[in-house]
């Protein structure tokens, strides 16, 4: 499932980094923290690998 916005892609990248141990889990905040806890390693990887061209900065609910 691809990311719908640049913000979602960034949060997924930070969560993936924390999950792999590249970044301390204490430094992860907000959406990245909940993503890191709730998703397997494969899911944030799919979001983070999405192309950013043509994506909005944020998507309203």
């Amino acid at each position: 499932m691809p990311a719908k916005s640049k913000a979602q892609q960034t949060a997924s990248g930070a969560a993936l980094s924390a999950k792999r141990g590249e970044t301390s889990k204490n430094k992860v905040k907000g959406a990245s923290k909940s993503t890191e806890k709730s998703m397997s390693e494969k899911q944030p990887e799919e979001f983070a690998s999405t192309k950013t061209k043509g994506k909005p900065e944020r998507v309203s609910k």
Side-chain angles (χ1 to χ4, degrees):
M1 181 169 164
K4 294 182 180 180
S5 69
K6 292 177 185 178
Q8 189 178 40
Q9 182 187 23
T10 304
S12 295
L16 181 61
S17 177
K19 202 163 253 315
R20 289 181 175 170
E22 298 168 358
T23 303
S24 171
K25 290 185 180 186
N26 296 333
K27 291 185 178 183
V28 179
K29 301 176 186 176
S32 301
K33 192 169 199 168
S34 62
T35 301
E36 188 270 325
K37 288 181 180 180
S38 67
M39 291 185 170
S40 67
E41 189 172 324
K42 182 104 174 116
Q43 290 171 318
E45 190 174 323
E46 290 174 6
F47 278 89
S49 65
T50 305
K51 302 274 189 233
T52 57
K53 188 174 184 178
K55 298 282 182 197
E57 198 60 42
R58 299 212 182 275
V59 174
S60 60
K61 291 182 180 179

